[in-house]
Amino acid sequence: MMSIDPNARGSLSEPCIALRAEVTDAIEAYERVPRKDKLLTTWYAMCISGQPAAAFFRGPRHSTFHRVTACDLAASAYLDLSAQKEVEIISPSFVLKVREHASSMHRLLPEPQHLPAPADTQEFRTGLESLTRWRVPVTAPTSRSGDPSIRAVTLGLARRFADAFVDIPVEFIHSLVLIGWPARSHSATRRVLTSGVTSRIKFESQEALKREQLAHGATAVALHVASSKATRGAALSEADQRIIEGLESEVARIRQDRRRFPNDAARLRAVLDIAHTFDDPNLADDLSRLVAQALQEFKP
């Protein structure tokens, strides 16, 4: 059995490359001005100049709104890098070791009722099972990925464009990378943003969007149900009360600058609770069955 050195680190650190003052000054000036004045900034000019930008902003993206949005994404990617003292990189060999140990532990675990709290929870088993399938994220700089700082910015831009535009314009992203590293070759950017990597980033972006839409829809339904009950003056059922308490907990987490739900399983369980409150039994059954099927992925 492969062993893990207790002192070994799953990630290594490499110093960030200091960005040129011209770049940091341009971003700082861009961030200070109102949105309507961003078109007059040096950063805006840096981002939208050149043929790759012109090609990207054709057709439905031919608007000031889209151009400023792209400049915002680029500024965010660079600011994320500059905010770090060092870039964390993932060691593929460590990922393999963790995965093998997680698989071994998963096979040896007894039934939940025999485990000490909080290891007797579904969340613990779900987390452990996820480690058995852990792979180096395509958006994580690795110990064999070349310059981790440039790769981090490149992948960060790809993720942001996928989220905002449902597209990853490799040529345009390369032109944005050149702002920080003028000597960066086009082939180097291509090696980072391969078709496999961009496909994976787009998939993850769409999955995250679906989860957010599902959560927003669930919240709207729950608020409607609670409002309707209160308007009619009817006493809340125990199930409705649990939903309201759950929403209050979500609000509290948001106010503490945390995610509304700790994980996807919790999101799906919240949706399942809401599905049970529908007045239309057919709609309730259909939604409950759909969510229950999705929850099966989180069972040990």
Side-chain angles (χ1 to χ4, degrees):
M1 181 183 295
M2 188 177 291
S3 62
I4 297 181
D5 182 351
N7 297 316
R9 299 177 60 190
S11 60
L12 308 174
S13 298
E14 295 211 3
C16 287
I17 297 178
L19 295 172
R20 293 176 295 129
E22 175 188 0
V23 175
T24 56
D25 291 346
I27 295 176
E28 290 175 1
Y30 177 84
E31 291 289 305
R32 285 197 300 266
V33 302
R35 188 174 180 86
K36 63 183 180 64
D37 295 331
K38 290 184 182 295
L39 283 69
L40 307 175
T41 63
T42 300
W43 180 251
Y44 180 86
M46 286 178 168
C47 292
I48 68 166
S49 63
Q51 181 57 33
F56 181 72
F57 293 118
R58 288 174 182 164
R61 290 192 288 261
H62 182 61
S63 71
T64 299
F65 171 80
H66 289 101
R67 287 181 172 85
V68 173
T69 297
C71 293
D72 289 344
L73 301 180
S76 174
Y78 275 98
L79 287 173
D80 273 1
L81 178 66
S82 62
Q84 303 176 49
K85 293 183 178 179
E86 53 191 15
V87 176
E88 294 294 327
I89 61 176
I90 301 298
S91 168
S93 62
F94 186 84
V95 171
L96 176 61
K97 291 179 182 178
V98 170
R99 195 165 63 222
E100 291 184 354
H101 277 264
S103 297
S104 177
M105 182 180 292
H106 190 270
R107 289 192 300 269
L108 294 173
L109 279 180
E111 290 301 313
Q113 62 265 29
H114 301 301
L115 294 173
D120 61 347
T121 62
Q122 180 66 43
E123 286 76 10
F124 171 77
R125 284 182 175 266
T126 299
L128 181 60
E129 186 177 9
S130 70
L131 285 177
T132 67
R133 303 186 301 272
W134 187 30
R135 295 182 180 180
V136 178
V138 296
T139 54
T142 70
S143 55
R144 58 187 182 209
S145 64
D147 189 307
S149 297
I150 305 178
R151 183 180 174 90
V153 169
T154 305
L155 291 169
L157 285 166
R159 169 69 70 183
R160 287 168 171 80
F161 272 86
D163 291 343
F165 294 101
V166 197
D167 188 17
I168 301 178
V170 177
E171 303 297 326
F172 184 30
I173 288 176
H174 177 64
S175 72
L176 295 174
V177 172
L178 289 177
I179 295 174
W181 296 273
R184 183 70 164 177
S185 69
H186 182 270
S187 60
T189 299
R190 279 285 181 185
R191 285 195 296 271
V192 174
L193 298 181
T194 64
S195 60
V197 169
T198 55
S199 295
R200 183 63 188 178
I201 292 175
K202 289 179 183 179
F203 173 78
E204 292 176 355
S205 176
Q206 290 302 304
E207 289 299 301
L209 178 60
K210 290 177 183 178
R211 290 193 294 269
E212 287 299 319
Q213 291 174 336
L214 192 60
H216 285 308
T219 300
V221 171
L223 291 174
H224 174 71
V225 170
S227 175
S228 299
K229 294 272 187 182
T231 301
R232 293 196 299 265
L236 291 173
S237 67
E238 183 178 348
D240 291 333
Q241 187 61 44
R242 285 200 307 269
I243 291 175
I244 292 175
E245 291 174 355
L247 288 172
E248 292 173 345
S249 175
E250 294 168 36
V251 171
R253 291 178 65 88
I254 293 172
R255 285 176 174 169
Q256 296 170 17
D257 197 26
R258 295 186 295 168
R259 301 175 68 185
R260 287 178 54 193
F261 297 97
N263 50 52
D264 287 345
R267 293 185 180 92
L268 288 170
R269 280 194 291 274
V271 175
L272 187 59
D273 286 340
I274 294 168
H276 294 155
T277 67
F278 279 107
D279 294 328
D280 185 335
N282 293 327
L283 181 59
D285 289 343
D286 290 343
L287 184 56
S288 297
R289 184 165 51 253
L290 179 64
V291 178
Q293 289 175 352
L295 274 170
Q296 292 297 320
E297 300 180 8
F298 295 89
K299 290 187 177 181

